[in-house]
Amino acid sequence: MFSFSFNDKSANIWETAALAAVCALACLTFFYSDLRNTVDNTNILLKCLCQGNFRDFYESSVALSRTNFAANYNFLIYVIMAVWQAPMLLLTRGMGLDYLSCPWALLWSKLFLVVMSLAAAVLIRRIVTFCGVSASKAALAQVLFFSSFFTFYPIMVCAQLDIISVTLMLAGFYAYLKNNTRLFWLFFALAAPCKMFALFLALPLILSRWKNLLKVVLFWASLAVFIVGEKLLFADSAIYTTALGSQSRDALAALLQGSALGGRLIPFIAVYLVILLLSWMRREPDGREAVSLCFLVWGSFIALSGIRTYWVMLVIPFMVMAMVVNSRFLSAGILAETAAGAAYFLHVASVSHVLAYDGSVSHLFLPSFMAVPDASVRRFSGLPELFDYLGLAAFDGLYTTVFITGILVLMVLTLPVPRWQSSAGKMAAWTGQSENAGMIHGMIVLRILLLNAILVVSVYAFTAKTGPVLLDNRGSDGLISDVNLISAEEPGLVCQPLTMEEDGVLHELTLKFSGTHMTRANMALIDISLENAADGSCLFEKVLGVSTLTAEEPVRINLKKLPVTAGQALILRIQGHPGNAWYHDVETLSVCLSDNRAMTGLITELPEAVINNEPAGGSLWLQLR
C-alpha cells in the first residue's frame, strides 16, 4: 500500500521496509506519560460503566487514578479509547496482570494510535487520488507522511491523541470533496471534542461552499453539538469543569500569543481572518485548491501561533497532500519539509519535557534487550539535558527559525496554479523539478536515516550511565560567596575538603557560579582541580574560561573515571585568574554555597569550604558522581 514508483520498484520496497522498521522500533521502545495517564483513566471509565455511574467518571478518576493526571480530556476521547481497550483489560484481569505494568497491554493501547495513523494514510491516498493524482504519487504522499518528523515524534514516540481528531478531520474533508454534507458534518462534529481546533478548519470549508452567512453560522455552530451535549451531561461535575477549563485556558493562552505596534497582534488570527474572507468571496474550490486551503489554515496555525510541540500533527497530512496535488515544486517541497522537520525535532530535543520523562523507555520492551539504568545513575535525564551538555540547546532560536521558514516556504510552493494560467505555459520556467526521481529517492532515504538517528540518540539519552551520586549538596540555593574569584587585587582560592567513604571512581562534578555577565573579550580563567590531601599531588585539573560560564547555571565537569579509595582525603580547589586589565574588578565571579541541610548521597559529611584562608560560611554547592 505504501510503495511508490518512479521506475525503481526495488528501491521502493527497501525504502518502505526500512521506514516500517524504524517506525516499529520507535513504537516498541517509547511510551510517554500522557498516554499512560489516558490508559489509566480509560480503565476507570470502563469500571464506572460496569457500575452504571459513568456520570461520576471525572470524580472517580481523581479518587482512583494511579498516575499524575486525573481525567482532563473531553469525554469522547475516553469513550473511543474504552472501545479499543476493553478486550485487553478483560484479558489482563483474567490473567491476573496489572494493565499499567504489562508491556503488551500498554502496547495494545499505543497500537490504537498507530491504527489511526494508518487510517489517516488511507484517507490521504483517497483524497489525493480524488484530486487526480497518479497512484505512484498517492503512495509517495503516504511515504512522506510516515517519514516525516511531524508524524514520527508525535505518534511513534509520544503517542499523542491528536491523531484521532486528525483522522476524523481527514474523513470529513474527504466527504466534503465528495459533496456528502451529512458525513462531512458528522466527522467534524466528532473531531471537535477530540480537538476543538477542528472547528478552525471547518469554517473556511463551509464558507467556500455556502455563501449565505446565516446558513454558514448555523451549520458551523452545529458542529459543537457533542461538545455542548457533553457539557450538559457533566454540568454538575466540578472536576469536569475544572479539568476541561484548564485545558482550554492553556490552549487559548498559547494561541493568543503575539504583539506588534506597541499593542497586541495575534498573527495567526490575522491571517485566519483573511483566509475566511477570501474563502467566502471566492467560488467553490476544486479538490486541489481545497487541499491547499486546508494546508494554509494549519500551516499558518503552526507557524504563527505559540503551539504545543505535538500540535504539528494537525498540519502534516494536509502538508503532504498539498505537496503532491500541487507538485510542480515537489523536490523542493520535500527538501523544505525535511529541513523544517529536522529543525522541529532539534527544537523539541532542546526544550521539551516530553523527552525528559523518566519512564519513556521503561514501560515497553527496551528493558528486555538492554539495561535501562535507574534515574540515580543515568548520565542525562533525557534529550534536553544531553543537548544542553553538548551545547546544542543554545541554537534553539536557529531551529525555530528554520522550522517556521520551512512551513512558510511550503505554503508558497504548494499554492495551486490559477486556472487561467495552468494552460498558458506561464510556469514553464519552473517545471522539471517535480519528477526528479533520483533526488526524491535520495531524500526519502535521508529522511529514514534521520529517523534512525533520532531513535539512536533518544535511546542513548535515556540509557547512558554515569556513577551513582556520591554527594549531592545542591538543595539549598541562595547562598553566594562575597569573594570575587577573578579580582585583580586578590584572586579567590576556594578549598573544599572531601573524604571518600568507599572505593570507586569519580565520573562527574557539578558546580555553580554567580556573577555579572562575562563578555567574551574577558580572558579571566578558573582552575578547578582535585588534589590528594595527604601529599598535595594533583589528581585532576580542568581550566575554564570565565566567559564560557553562565551565571546561576550548573557547570558539569567530566572527571574521566578518576579512581579513589575508601578513607582517601581530597581537596577540591577552585583558583581564579584575572583576565585583561580592562575588565579588572569590572566583572565578578563567585562560587555558590550550600548550608548542607538537603545533602544526600553516599558521603554523609561535608566540611565548610575555605575561601582565601577564611571560612566560607557554607560548603560548596556541588554534586559528585
Side-chain angles (χ1 to χ4, degrees):
M1 179 174 72
F2 302 114
S3 63
F4 66 97
S5 175
F6 287 107
N7 303 317
D8 192 349
K9 293 184 179 180
S10 61
N12 299 337
I13 294 172
W14 283 110
E15 290 162 7
T16 304
L19 178 57
V22 69
C23 288
L25 282 173
C27 284
L28 295 171
T29 300
F30 296 97
F31 196 92
Y32 178 51
S33 61
D34 272 12
L35 182 58
R36 194 166 185 266
N37 297 339
T38 304
V39 167
D40 182 31
N41 290 313
T42 299
N43 288 341
I44 294 171
L45 172 61
L46 288 167
K47 181 177 181 179
C48 291
L49 289 171
C50 291
Q51 295 174 347
N53 62 340
F54 73 91
R55 294 187 67 182
D56 296 329
F57 163 58
Y58 285 90
E59 281 71 20
S60 297
S61 74
V62 172
L64 303 176
S65 177
R66 296 163 53 192
T67 61
N68 65 320
F69 257 107
N72 64 116
Y73 293 138
N74 286 91
F75 187 62
L76 183 59
I77 288 283
Y78 298 106
V79 172
I80 294 172
M81 289 295 294
V83 173
W84 177 266
Q85 213 161 285
M88 183 58 75
L89 180 62
L90 291 174
L91 181 61
T92 53
R93 291 280 176 88
M95 297 175 65
L97 299 174
D98 176 26
Y99 200 110
L100 293 183
S101 302
C102 177
W104 291 103
L106 294 176
L107 178 62
W108 173 257
S109 296
K110 185 174 181 178
L111 281 178
F112 174 67
L113 304 182
V114 177
V115 169
M116 293 300 291
S117 68
L118 290 170
V122 171
L123 288 164
I124 287 172
R125 187 181 189 110
R126 291 188 177 183
I127 290 169
V128 297
T129 301
F130 178 86
C131 295
V133 166
S134 66
S136 63
K137 280 190 179 178
L140 174 61
Q142 295 176 306
V143 172
L144 292 174
F145 173 70
F146 279 109
S147 63
S148 173
F149 293 85
F150 302 140
T151 302
F152 186 78
Y153 168 72
I155 297 178
M156 307 305 169
V157 174
C158 295
Q160 289 292 334
L161 299 169
D162 300 68
I163 187 60
I164 300 174
S165 179
V166 168
T167 304
L168 290 170
M169 282 189 278
L170 286 169
F173 180 59
Y174 184 53
Y176 173 87
L177 294 177
K178 300 191 64 112
N179 288 309
N180 190 329
T181 303
R182 291 181 180 179
L183 284 180
F184 167 62
W185 179 89
L186 176 62
F187 284 122
F188 269 89
L190 290 171
C194 299
K195 199 74 173 181
M196 197 177 296
F197 294 147
L199 297 175
F200 281 146
L201 182 61
L203 185 54
L205 292 174
I206 298 168
L207 284 167
S208 295
R209 178 158 293 173
W210 295 293
K211 306 306 177 182
N212 184 316
L213 291 181
L214 178 60
K215 181 179 179 180
V216 166
V217 170
L218 292 176
F219 189 93
W220 186 61
S222 71
L223 296 176
V225 61
F226 294 120
I227 297 176
V228 174
E230 177 184 304
K231 291 186 179 297
L232 293 175
L233 183 65
F234 294 101
D236 297 329
S237 172
I239 299 297
Y240 171 86
T241 303
T242 301
L244 273 297
S246 64
Q247 281 272 31
S248 299
R249 284 193 301 272
D250 289 348
L252 284 174
L255 179 65
L256 300 181
Q257 291 177 2
S259 62
L261 302 177
R264 299 288 294 175
L265 171 68
I266 306 166
F268 165 65
I269 297 299
V271 173
Y272 184 67
L273 291 174
V274 174
I275 292 174
L276 292 182
L277 180 61
L278 295 178
S279 298
W280 179 66
M281 292 173 59
R282 295 193 65 204
R283 51 163 175 74
E284 183 176 344
D286 60 20
R288 294 171 184 259
E289 293 169 337
V291 168
S292 291
L293 173 62
C294 294
F295 178 38
L296 284 175
V297 171
W298 290 132
S300 57
F301 175 77
I302 296 300
L304 302 177
S305 63
I307 65 165
R308 301 287 184 263
T309 54
Y310 44 83
W311 289 355
V312 294
M313 189 70 250
L314 297 168
V315 73
I316 184 58
F318 300 97
M319 181 189 296
V320 298
M321 289 192 296
M323 287 163 61
V324 299
V325 300
N326 300 301
S327 62
R328 64 189 185 277
F329 303 121
L330 181 57
S331 298
I334 296 174
L335 183 61
E337 196 277 340
T338 304
Y344 160 76
F345 173 76
L346 291 170
H347 163 71
V348 169
S350 298
V351 303
S352 177
H353 68 280
V354 172
L355 294 178
Y357 164 59
D358 280 346
S360 292
V361 296
S362 303
H363 294 306
L364 292 181
F365 299 101
L366 187 65
S368 301
F369 298 96
M370 64 181 297
V372 176
D374 182 77
S376 63
V377 294
R378 274 183 23 206
R379 187 173 185 187
F380 307 105
S381 62
L383 272 174
E385 191 170 349
L386 171 61
F387 269 49
D388 185 61
Y389 177 76
L390 296 174
L392 297 176
F395 300 98
D396 182 53
L398 173 64
Y399 308 147
T400 305
T401 301
V402 174
F403 163 63
I404 293 175
T405 302
I407 299 293
L408 296 175
V409 165
L410 276 166
M411 290 167 65
V412 174
L413 293 180
T414 58
L415 286 173
V417 179
R419 295 180 187 180
W420 62 271
Q421 285 189 342
S422 58
S423 61
K426 298 202 175 184
M427 299 301 294
W430 299 94
T431 60
Q433 302 178 53
S434 62
E435 299 294 339
N436 190 333
M439 184 175 182
I440 290 175
H441 278 295
M443 285 190 288
I444 295 297
V445 171
L446 173 63
R447 290 158 72 95
I448 296 171
L449 291 174
L450 289 173
L451 296 185
N452 279 277
I454 286 177
L455 193 59
V456 171
V457 171
S458 300
V459 169
Y460 172 77
F462 284 106
T463 58
K465 288 183 65 176
T466 186
V469 176
L470 300 178
L471 170 65
D472 194 337
N473 199 33
R474 302 175 300 167
S476 301
D477 289 339
L479 298 177
I480 300 172
S481 165
D482 57 2
V483 175
N484 180 13
L485 294 178
I486 55 175
S487 169
E489 181 178 341
E490 186 180 9
L493 171 61
V494 182
C495 296
Q496 174 65 68
L498 298 164
T499 302
M500 298 297 102
E501 298 191 4
E502 61 180 39
D503 295 345
V505 294
L506 302 183
H507 292 263
E508 187 177 75
L509 171 68
T510 302
L511 299 166
K512 188 161 68 171
F513 298 89
S514 179
T516 57
H517 171 71
M518 301 293 166
T519 63
R520 62 186 180 89
N522 189 347
M523 299 303 169
L525 304 171
I526 54 170
D527 187 342
I528 301 170
S529 61
L530 277 171
E531 297 180 355
N532 193 330
D535 58 15
S537 60
C538 182
L539 306 176
F540 173 87
E541 185 175 21
K542 177 77 171 181
V543 179
L544 298 176
V546 169
S547 62
T548 65
L549 305 178
T550 301
E552 309 298 334
E553 290 292 330
V555 179
R556 299 172 63 163
I557 301 167
N558 186 354
L559 297 179
K560 301 179 180 180
K561 297 183 180 180
L562 177 68
V564 293
T565 58
Q568 183 178 7
L570 303 176
I571 296 177
L572 171 61
R573 290 169 53 95
I574 304 174
Q575 174 71 66
H577 300 281
N580 31 322
W582 182 274
Y583 296 100
H584 284 179
D585 299 318
V586 175
E587 296 179 344
T588 63
L589 185 77
S590 303
V591 291
C592 292
L593 304 171
S594 175
D595 59 13
N596 294 352
R597 287 183 297 179
M599 188 171 69
T600 60
L602 300 178
I603 298 175
T604 56
E605 294 185 8
L606 188 65
E608 183 178 7
V610 175
I611 303 180
N612 290 348
N613 299 316
E614 297 289 338
S619 55
L620 281 180
W621 185 103
L622 65 86
Q623 182 190 68
L624 186 65
R625 288 181 177 271

